[in-house]
């Protein structure tokens, strides 16, 4: 069977280093990192350490605002935890994969339930195209085209090492 990414090798650790570089370039003095559950939450945990930032990063869930809530329910939902005042904050959202943009739409609704940020930006490990909404990343460590129906998700082993899990279209 051929690989769903063809000859492309997605080295998640190399992409993480590229993401770290991109996030550094986007950071201002008041920027708050917020990871989207679940892959983005792993990313912000590591970024917060690697950037030497004090305190805890934010974690946000799309679950309560998803347009497919009726099918998915709360089964895979992490809980939103924003340990700072969202009002007036410069938010940098982090996620592993950007695809249709629907998760981002739901996450932005969730974020605004907590306050009125000054700005919201987005950095991702992989932008796989296929957008169904007018949402773009301010930084993507990689842009790849994958067949519709294939799945790409970040995994993290016990030692905290990242890898991508790729599943071909059925
Ligand atoms: O742009 P979209 O089409 O919305 O897809 C991108 C989202 O899909 C994946 O999350 P998923 O919902 O699979 O949850 P997970 O991170 O917990 O695996 C991924 O982590 C993004 O959050
Ligand atoms: O709201 C959402 C988020 C991700 N995927 C969907 O189909 N809907």
């Amino acid at each position: 069977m051929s690989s769903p990414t063809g000859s492309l090798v997605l080295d998640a650790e190399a992409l993480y280093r590229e993401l770290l570089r991109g996030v550094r370039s986007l950071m201002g003095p008041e920027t708050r990192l917020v990871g989207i559950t679940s892959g983005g939450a792993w990313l912000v945990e590591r970024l917060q350490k690697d950037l030497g930032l004090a305190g805890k990063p934010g974690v946000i869930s799309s679950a309560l605002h998803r347009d497919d809530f009726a099918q998915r329910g709360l089964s895979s939902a992490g809980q939103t935890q924003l340990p700072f005042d969202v009002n007036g904050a410069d938010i940098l959202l982090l996620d592993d994969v950007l695809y249709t943009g629907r998760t981002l739409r739901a996450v932005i609704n969730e974020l605004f339930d907590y306050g009125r940020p000054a700005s919201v930006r987005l950095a991702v490990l992989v932008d796989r195209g296929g957008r169904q909404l007018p949402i773009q990343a301010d930084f993507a460590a990689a842009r790849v085209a994958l067949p519709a129906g294939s799945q790409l998700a970040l995994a993290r082993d016990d030692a905290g090492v990242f890898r991508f899990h790729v599943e071909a279209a059925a």
Side-chain angles (χ1 to χ4, degrees), residues 22-154:
V23 168
R24 270 206 180 98
S25 75
L26 292 174
M27 290 291 292
E30 302 303 326
T31 304
R32 303 293 193 155
L33 302 183
V34 177
I36 298 170
T37 56
S38 54
W42 296 337
L43 290 172
V44 287
E45 197 182 312
R46 189 156 155 193
L47 285 165
Q48 190 87 357
K49 279 192 202 128
D50 288 346
L51 292 165
L53 301 174
K56 284 192 164 195
V59 173
I60 195 160
S61 167
S62 66
L64 295 179
H65 292 280
R66 294 181 69 94
D67 57 35
D68 58 355
F69 182 83
Q71 293 99 302
R72 260 177 75 138
L74 289 169
S75 55
S76 64
Q79 272 200 337
T80 296
Q81 289 180 351
L82 299 171
F84 50 81
D85 188 0
V86 167
N87 289 298
D90 289 316
I91 304 287
L92 180 53
L93 293 170
L94 273 298
D95 209 351
D96 52 352
V97 179
L98 175 60
Y99 185 26
T100 65
R102 287 173 188 265
T103 297
L104 252 296
R105 196 280 308 156
V107 159
I108 291 169
N109 279 28
E110 172 82 357
L111 183 62
F112 277 73
D113 284 349
Y114 286 77
R116 185 173 186 270
S119 66
V120 182
R121 288 176 299 165
L122 171 67
V124 298
L125 271 185
V126 174
D127 176 351
R128 60 169 289 187
R131 219 74 82 241
Q132 296 171 355
L133 295 171
I135 284 173
Q136 303 301 338
D138 295 279
F139 181 85
R143 293 177 200 275
V144 302
L146 293 174
S150 61
Q151 296 280 344
L152 180 64
L154 190 66

Side-chain angles (χ1 to χ4, degrees), residues 15-26:
L15 291 183
Y16 173 77
R17 290 190 289 277
E18 182 62 10
L19 182 72
L20 178 59
R21 189 190 65 72
V23 168
R24 270 206 180 98
S25 75
L26 292 174

